[in-house]
Amino acid sequence: MEPAVLGSKLASSLLGPLVKKLFVQDGPGAGLVDRPVRLSALVSFRGEKRTLGEKEVRRLAGRLVTEALASPGERPFPPDEEEAVTDTLTRRLLSLGDLDMDDVQAVRLGSEELARHLDRHAPPPDGLSADARAFLDSATQWACLHILEFFTRRSTFVARTLVEQTRTQRELIARIDELIARTPRPDARDSAFERRYLPYVADRHNHITIYGIDLRDSPDRWPLEVAYLSLEATAEEEGPRFDGPSSPSPVHLPAEQALRDHDRVLLRGDAGSGKTTLIQWLAVTAARDGTQIPYVLPLRTLVRRPALPTPADFLPAVACPLTAPEGWADRVLSAGRGLILVDGLDEIPAPERHRARDWLLDLIRAFPGNRWLLTSRPTAVRQEWLASEGFRELLLAPMRRAEVATFVRRWHAAARAPEYEGPLLDSLRVKRDLARLATNPLMCGLICALHRERRGYLPTGRKELYDAALAMLLARRDRERGMGALDPVDLGEQAQLEVLQRLAYALVLSGRTEMDMDTAEGLVERCLPTIAVPGETDAHSVLSQLLLRSGLLRRPSEGVVDFVHRTFQDYLGARYAVEEGHLDVLVSHADDAQWEDVIRMAVAHARPRERASVLRQLLSRETPRLTLLALACLEHAPALDPEVRLAVDSEAVALIPPWSAEEAKALAEAGPLVLELLPGPEELTDEQAKNVTVTASLLGREEPDGALAVLRRFREHGDLKVRRQLVGTWHRFDSQEYAVEVLDHLDRTDLFLTCESAEERATLSWMRPWPGLSFRGPQRIDEILAAVPAPEAVTAIDFRENPHLTDAGALRAFRSLREVWLADCPTGNLHRLSELSLVRFSCDHIADVTGLRRLRSLRRLSLAQELPGTDLTEVLPVDAPLETLFLGSNSTDTTGLRGLQHWSGLRSLSLGQLTTELTDTDWQAVAELPELKELHLHAVIFRQFPYSFQVMPQLPGIEKLRITAIYGDEELFGLAQQLPSLHSVILQVHPAEYARYARLFPGAEVSLDRH
């Protein structure tokens, strides 16, 4: 629907007042006093001037949609999509507040470009029909027309436009002067060449091949704009922790934005994950924008040269037919205008990678200021291989279900086969094995093509899928197109496979992914006597025919041949290794993670006795990763010696399920292979179930879909430790997807859900209520209240490192609160919490604790900061029926334990990392507590203040003792005599030291705390 058509349905009298409500009204003036006000300060649903909330904006969007549907004429989209359209239009209107521009800049953009900005800043409309998306685009553009009209009528607009023009002209003149002063005038020949080179790059890389798309008169290539699927890249970056030192936290960003904030990026991705397609997208985008000069440099082609190319040789090295002016590349890179995209570090042998690294670093040092992207498989080089040189490492994430669905829809639209789209999407949702295969664009394309070719039938299992794909690619042309008589060489499917697998095995052994045409012809020549071909056929003709028609080989540049993807190379290489009896050769490379797929496929091809031999050799290495590889191979071994299968299972039992947290972490180091092998909760102990979720959680960043599939099985588990692990790993996954699949199914008893971002708050808003919530980092209280669906249902809340929480009275909105934790917040006015029926309160480094005395309902209190006064009764609530008290760092510096005896109902006392020595007066206050049964001590007191225990009196009432953080040099002798009634002792100590300390308490039951 065009905007003009929509305009005939929606009168300006309706849309004008709606737009007016979206913005606050400012007074006249030119805005000379301060910097221009951004749109985020003009919109009426955020900031100090907010008059609308998200709900009101949704109602306005709903009115617009409703009026359009109620107008005469054909409905613009199906009725069942009205709510989804309204949601998406609301998000687009709300994204006005995220645009970093002012009204003058918005008018300069125009309505179409402003509408595209809103579309890019809002979440994409997932699952909407083409008609609904067309309506949304039209409605957004029509709204933008009125928004710009509103801006031009504001009293400040004309004056600010003139001011903005003056400022812009002044800045432009200054920048031009600076540029002229420091940059020599470029040669006119450079500009003329770039006007030819940039369109050439855009055209050369503006297409990708989708396997199987050339069937039944469909095109064999897609335009890149249609085919490109924006995938997600993840990185681990250091972030603050709230209970210790910094730890890595996941960062997620669209892969095409990898170079937005970092000039140097090493992008890792599995086979078929879209690394090369991303490079094409970046090259085409840069060429069309004209802001940078892109160079696409496939390493597999460059390393064939005696020396890796200098900038002057970049274009000849990749067979670019254009001749650049002399010195042009040096001038481009010296000016920092280059975008150097180096593809396929994993596709060259390991010794060549060091040469490529040195070459790349020499270029970077010689030409700083450019942007550099290097792609590789995840295990080709070690972690942080280039970190010391300022490279940020990103991992191209597997496709999630929404991305797979998008790919399937686009594939079928381009293939003009809509009748197969729905059934395939249903199969991907229901069949777990099939969904596990569809994790990257390559496999998705193959599945789509096979599904269409077989009229809705799909094989199961990886080997069967590859077999079917090869049969489709190798045998289809003569039978389906009736063109066999035109082929210069008549090769059957088996003959093609024989040649291809020999080429593949040669590449596998050499560690390369491409070879010279002469080498390939030599291999074919030696193969010809064993295959059925016409007598006059030579190796050159056979190889040319395979390149032309097989769909598996290609010629990336003159004189070079390779497979269209490494997946086929590994599969066919494994097939040949089995036929030739070279399984020992494959096993000898088992330590190299890049051979995992070759070995697994070899087991699938092998005969039962050969499978048994491979698995025995893997087990004989006695390493966890190879044991797990053997276990993964069982999936491809339907016929196998029962004793060997039992041996593999027996060895794997020691690893899966993991028996401790340490084993769970070690298991995760084996990589995503583990996810296929992790069991569900059935027949697992609670501890084993928790450890399985730990392993899956740790792999969430590397393999989010597979990890989520494992964690989803435990969402009904009742054990608290399991549920806490499931809640705590939320941040490794997509917030909304994880909430739908896991969080919203959990029993919430004794759980805290932690929110650290706006995305997580938005997800929280539509989940069923959580009684325990934790908010970490700077978050405004009004934003938190807007996100909590039922504040009255919250009974426990925790704030950490929040500079916006200055007044504790803001928490009164959670009127059912019973427990509050505050840490590293500038909070004061604790007395305002007296209106709540709090039973538990904890504070650690807040601004002011003087109001604590007013919290008279407290039963549990925890303090870890300096207290005012010289006696605990001067700051603690004297009327509170305290039963549990924790005193931590600095809390006794001025008060000691004086006055503690006032709380005669105290049953548990915990003394943490105290910073002041205890005196006999302090201990006397403890001795006067008639109900005290439990004493918890931090071992730092024994290490730093041994005198504290020399003056400790007998405490006959203490029945339970807990000592944490014992390092092995503490003197605990005599402690049992001072606590004669002890019957339970818990020690947090290294297991090797446990027995020595346990002997000090002969009359008590002593246990080890492994936390």
Side-chain angles (χ1 to χ4, degrees):
M1 179 181 292
E2 295 295 326
V5 177
L6 181 65
S8 67
K9 287 177 166 286
L10 293 172
S12 295
S13 59
L14 168 67
L15 199 52
L18 182 152
V19 167
K20 190 173 182 181
K21 291 182 179 181
L22 292 174
F23 298 89
V24 296
Q25 305 297 315
D26 284 341
L32 297 176
V33 177
D34 201 358
R35 298 177 64 184
V37 179
R38 319 306 282 177
L39 290 190
S40 58
L42 296 177
V43 295
S44 60
F45 44 81
R46 62 182 293 173
E48 297 178 356
K49 299 179 181 180
R50 63 183 285 169
T51 58
L52 294 183
E54 182 175 347
K55 294 180 179 178
E56 289 77 8
V57 176
R58 176 180 171 81
R59 283 199 291 269
L60 293 174
R63 284 187 58 197
L64 191 152
V65 174
T66 302
E67 291 291 334
L69 295 177
S71 301
E74 182 181 355
R75 289 182 62 92
F77 56 86
D80 61 350
E81 293 186 292
E82 182 174 349
E83 183 176 354
V85 169
T86 300
D87 284 341
T88 306
L89 183 57
T90 301
R91 292 196 296 268
R92 289 188 180 181
L93 292 176
L94 288 171
S95 68
L96 279 166
D98 296 324
L99 297 184
D100 187 20
M101 65 178 69
D102 56 30
D103 54 352
V104 176
Q105 294 169 322
V107 172
R108 188 182 302 136
L109 284 178
S111 61
E112 292 185 8
E113 188 59 29
L114 181 60
R116 282 194 286 270
H117 272 65
L118 295 181
D119 183 20
R120 287 195 293 268
H121 281 76
D126 190 20
L128 292 180
S129 65
D131 288 340
R133 290 196 295 270
F135 171 84
L136 267 172
D137 292 340
S138 298
T140 305
Q141 186 177 340
W142 189 244
C144 287
L145 283 171
H146 282 265
I147 288 171
L148 299 185
E149 173 68 15
F150 170 77
F151 285 163
T152 60
R153 293 186 180 185
R154 294 177 70 234
S155 60
T156 63
F157 181 81
V158 175
R160 284 196 55 244
T161 300
L162 295 175
V163 172
E164 184 70 18
Q165 288 176 347
T166 302
R167 286 174 175 167
T168 302
Q169 290 173 356
R170 184 169 63 250
E171 292 173 0
L172 182 60
I173 292 170
R175 290 178 181 177
I176 291 175
D177 289 342
E178 181 185 356
L179 184 63
I180 291 174
R182 73 178 185 179
T183 307
R185 182 177 179 179
D187 193 296
R189 291 178 301 166
D190 288 0
S191 298
F193 175 73
E194 289 171 16
R195 286 195 293 272
R196 297 174 60 211
Y197 175 69
L198 293 179
Y200 164 79
V201 170
D203 181 67
R204 177 175 179 177
H205 297 288
N206 190 31
H207 60 266
I208 63 174
T209 299
I210 303 297
Y211 305 103
I213 200 67
D214 59 338
L215 303 177
R216 306 186 193 280
D217 301 321
S218 296
D220 62 346
R221 297 189 300 182
W222 279 359
L224 191 62
E225 293 91 337
V226 177
Y228 180 69
L229 184 70
S230 177
L231 299 178
E232 184 179 78
T234 62
E236 284 194 354
E237 295 190 350
E238 289 296 316
R241 284 187 57 177
F242 303 95
D243 56 353
S246 295
S247 63
S249 58
V251 176
H252 304 270
L253 72 160
E256 63 270 21
Q257 296 181 14
L259 289 168
R260 171 174 291 184
D261 300 320
H262 291 76
D263 291 341
R264 305 173 189 180
V265 171
L266 171 58
L267 180 68
R268 300 176 187 263
D270 289 321
S273 59
K275 301 184 295 296
T276 300
T277 304
L278 172 63
I279 278 185
Q280 291 180 241
W281 179 264
L282 293 173
V284 170
T285 302
R288 289 180 174 171
D289 291 346
T291 54
Q292 292 176 303
I293 304 299
Y295 300 91
V296 178
L297 304 175
L299 271 176
R300 60 178 175 271
T301 299
L302 302 186
V303 296
R304 296 177 55 251
R305 302 165 60 93
L308 291 167
T310 63
D313 295 326
F314 280 177
L315 301 191
V318 295
C320 175
L322 303 179
T323 302
E326 184 176 354
W328 169 75
D330 276 3
R331 290 189 290 275
V332 167
L333 297 184
S334 296
R337 299 171 57 217
L339 173 63
I340 299 88
L341 306 167
V342 184
D343 190 24
L345 180 65
D346 57 286
E347 296 179 351
I348 61 176
E352 300 281 5
R353 294 170 194 159
H354 295 287
R355 182 162 73 103
R357 183 181 189 272
D358 294 339
W359 165 76
L360 184 63
L361 295 182
D362 285 343
L363 288 173
I364 291 173
R365 291 162 185 154
F367 301 101
N370 296 281
R371 294 183 179 272
W372 309 80
L373 177 71
L374 176 63
T375 70
S376 172
R377 282 195 184 186
T379 56
V381 292
R382 60 176 171 79
Q383 292 294 319
E384 300 184 350
W385 192 61
L386 287 169
S388 62
E389 304 298 333
F391 272 77
R392 183 191 195 191
E393 291 202 2
L394 297 176
L395 179 68
L396 200 57
M399 293 168 65
R400 293 174 293 188
R401 282 172 297 173
E403 293 161 347
V404 171
T406 299
F407 184 98
V408 170
R409 295 188 185 101
R410 290 182 181 179
W411 194 99
H412 286 85
R416 296 188 289 275
E419 66 275 18
Y420 294 110
E421 176 186 317
L424 180 56
L425 286 173
D426 289 340
S427 296
L428 287 168
R429 294 187 189 102
V430 174
K431 297 180 179 179
R432 180 183 166 199
D433 289 343
L434 184 61
R436 282 167 47 188
L437 291 173
T439 58
N440 60 56
L442 171 70
M443 291 308 300
C444 284
L446 285 173
I447 289 170
C448 289
L450 281 170
H451 184 263
R452 178 191 171 197
E453 260 320 274
R454 296 189 166 207
R455 301 182 182 275
Y457 164 77
L458 275 174
T460 58
R462 291 180 61 187
K463 180 179 181 298
E464 290 78 7
L465 183 62
Y466 288 135
D467 286 341
L470 290 172
M472 177 191 72
L473 292 170
L474 298 179
R476 66 190 181 196
R477 57 181 165 77
D478 295 342
R479 188 169 60 250
E480 296 171 0
R481 294 187 176 185
M483 298 174 62
L486 302 178
D487 291 336
V489 179
D490 185 12
L491 289 177
E493 180 180 352
Q494 291 303 316
Q496 292 181 75
L497 280 173
E498 186 66 30
V499 177
L500 289 168
Q501 66 188 23
R502 292 195 185 199
L503 295 173
Y505 188 57
L507 287 170
V508 167
L509 289 179
S510 67
R512 297 180 180 271
T513 58
E514 66 179 29
M515 65 176 63
D516 294 341
M517 187 71 73
D518 292 340
T519 303
E521 286 187 7
L523 289 169
V524 175
E525 182 72 37
R526 291 192 292 272
C527 182
L528 287 181
T530 65
I531 61 176
V533 295
E536 300 299 323
T537 302
D538 59 13
H540 178 78
S541 300
V542 171
L543 188 58
S544 297
Q545 186 67 10
L546 289 172
L547 285 166
L548 179 65
R549 304 297 297 274
S550 73
L552 289 173
L553 285 185
R554 65 173 185 170
R555 184 160 38 200
S557 60
E558 189 63 32
V560 177
V561 61
D562 70 357
F563 282 85
V564 292
H565 203 279
R566 179 71 173 267
T567 305
F568 292 120
Q569 175 183 306
D570 290 348
Y571 177 80
L572 290 169
R575 189 175 189 267
Y576 185 75
V578 171
E579 291 184 0
E580 294 298 308
H582 292 176
L583 288 173
D584 289 346
V585 176
L586 302 188
V587 175
S588 69
H589 290 86
D591 291 323
D592 187 342
Q594 294 191 74
W595 286 68
E596 281 181 359
D597 275 349
V598 180
I599 293 172
R600 293 175 71 176
M601 289 298 97
V603 169
H605 287 297
R607 291 170 285 273
R609 282 186 295 179
E610 295 167 332
R611 291 170 180 161
S613 175
V614 170
L615 296 178
R616 287 193 184 100
Q617 290 183 68
L618 292 177
L619 292 179
S620 69
R621 303 284 187 88
E622 297 183 351
T623 63
R625 195 186 68 80
L626 296 187
T627 298
L628 295 174
L629 177 57
L631 184 62
C633 288
L634 293 184
E635 174 191 356
H636 309 289
L640 181 66
D641 183 341
E643 292 185 5
V644 175
R645 188 181 297 274
L646 179 61
V648 174
D649 288 335
S650 300
E651 292 288 336
V653 163
L655 301 172
I656 299 178
W659 296 84
S660 67
E662 291 75 16
E663 290 182 6
K665 295 173 183 177
L667 185 60
E669 293 177 0
L673 169 72
V674 171
L675 293 171
E676 305 176 30
L677 310 174
L678 291 175
E682 301 81 10
E683 299 183 5
L684 295 181
T685 66
D686 290 345
E687 185 67 18
Q688 289 172 334
K690 189 263 292 183
N691 294 331
V692 168
T693 60
V694 169
T695 298
S697 297
L698 292 173
L699 291 167
R701 297 189 185 102
E702 192 173 353
E703 190 77 24
D705 283 348
L708 182 58
V710 173
L711 296 175
R712 186 167 47 228
R713 299 180 227 161
F714 292 83
R715 64 191 186 187
E716 307 295 340
H717 206 285
D719 182 68
L720 179 60
K721 291 181 180 179
V722 174
R723 292 186 288 118
R724 283 179 174 168
Q725 178 63 35
L726 293 176
V727 170
T729 196
W730 183 21
H731 314 293
R732 290 186 171 97
F733 298 86
D734 175 79
S735 298
Q736 181 171 341
E737 183 178 24
Y738 194 80
V740 169
E741 298 293 342
V742 178
L743 292 180
D744 225 20
H745 298 266
L746 293 176
D747 175 6
R748 278 127 161 82
T749 306
D750 295 325
L751 290 184
F752 270 84
L753 180 68
T754 300
C755 294
E756 299 181 356
S757 66
E759 180 186 10
E760 290 171 353
R761 285 200 311 273
T763 303
L764 174 67
S765 65
W766 54 259
M767 280 193 281
R768 58 190 178 90
W770 283 82
L773 289 173
S774 177
F775 296 95
R776 302 197 174 193
Q779 302 184 58
R780 302 185 67 86
I781 301 304
D782 57 343
E783 295 173 340
I784 291 173
L785 285 170
V788 177
E792 68 280 359
V794 178
T795 59
I797 203 160
D798 178 13
F799 287 93
R800 307 284 179 101
E801 295 188 350
N802 191 338
H804 300 300
L805 185 60
T806 57
D807 186 352
L811 304 184
R812 293 179 300 177
F814 303 97
R815 56 180 182 270
S816 300
L817 273 184
R818 304 276 285 170
E819 303 179 16
V820 172
W821 284 262
L822 303 175
D824 298 304
C825 301
T827 309
N829 297 330
L830 294 184
H831 65 278
R832 302 183 68 185
L833 295 178
S834 62
E835 301 176 19
L836 303 173
S837 300
L838 295 183
V839 297
R840 184 172 188 173
F841 181 78
S842 173
C843 67
D844 181 350
H845 292 92
I846 67 172
D848 184 8
V849 296
T850 55
L852 187 60
R853 286 175 57 86
R854 300 276 295 276
L855 307 185
R856 299 183 177 92
S857 57
L858 292 181
R859 295 181 178 274
R860 305 182 69 179
L861 179 59
S862 177
L863 303 168
Q865 65 181 75
E866 187 172 345
L867 304 177
T870 59
D871 191 287
L872 291 175
T873 57
E874 297 176 25
V875 61
L876 272 56
V878 294
D879 299 331
L882 288 183
E883 298 175 356
T884 300
L885 177 64
F886 171 84
L887 296 173
S889 177
N890 300 115
S891 61
T892 61
D893 287 357
T894 61
T895 65
L897 299 181
R898 291 181 293 277
L900 183 63
Q901 64 271 27
H902 174 81
W903 290 273
S904 58
L906 204 64
R907 298 183 57 83
S908 176
L909 175 64
S910 298
L911 301 178
Q913 300 185 54
L914 299 184
T915 49
T916 305
E917 195 162 52
L918 297 175
T919 67
D920 52 356
T921 303
D922 295 324
W923 283 117
Q924 188 57 42
V926 175
E928 294 180 22
L929 294 170
E931 300 295 327
L932 190 65
K933 303 296 181 185
E934 298 183 11
L935 183 62
H936 298 180
L937 302 173
H938 195 287
V940 70
I941 307 174
F942 295 90
R943 293 193 294 271
Q944 294 187 9
F945 308 116
Y947 178 75
S948 296
F949 292 93
Q950 295 175 18
V951 298
M952 178 182 179
Q954 273 204 350
L955 300 175
I958 301 299
E959 299 175 354
K960 183 176 181 179
L961 174 67
R962 178 189 177 96
I963 306 178
T964 58
I966 302 173
Y967 289 158
D969 56 354
E970 293 84 359
E971 294 294 339
L972 305 185
F973 298 103
L975 192 57
Q977 285 73 24
Q978 302 305 100
L979 306 173
S981 301
L982 274 182
H983 61 72
S984 174
V985 177
I986 302 174
L987 301 175
Q988 189 185 71
V989 64
H990 191 280
E993 297 285 338
Y994 168 70
R996 177 165 71 91
Y997 282 97
R999 286 195 295 269
L1000 301 178
F1001 303 95
E1005 179 183 343
V1006 184
S1007 59
L1008 176 64
D1009 179 4
R1010 295 179 178 271
H1011 182 64

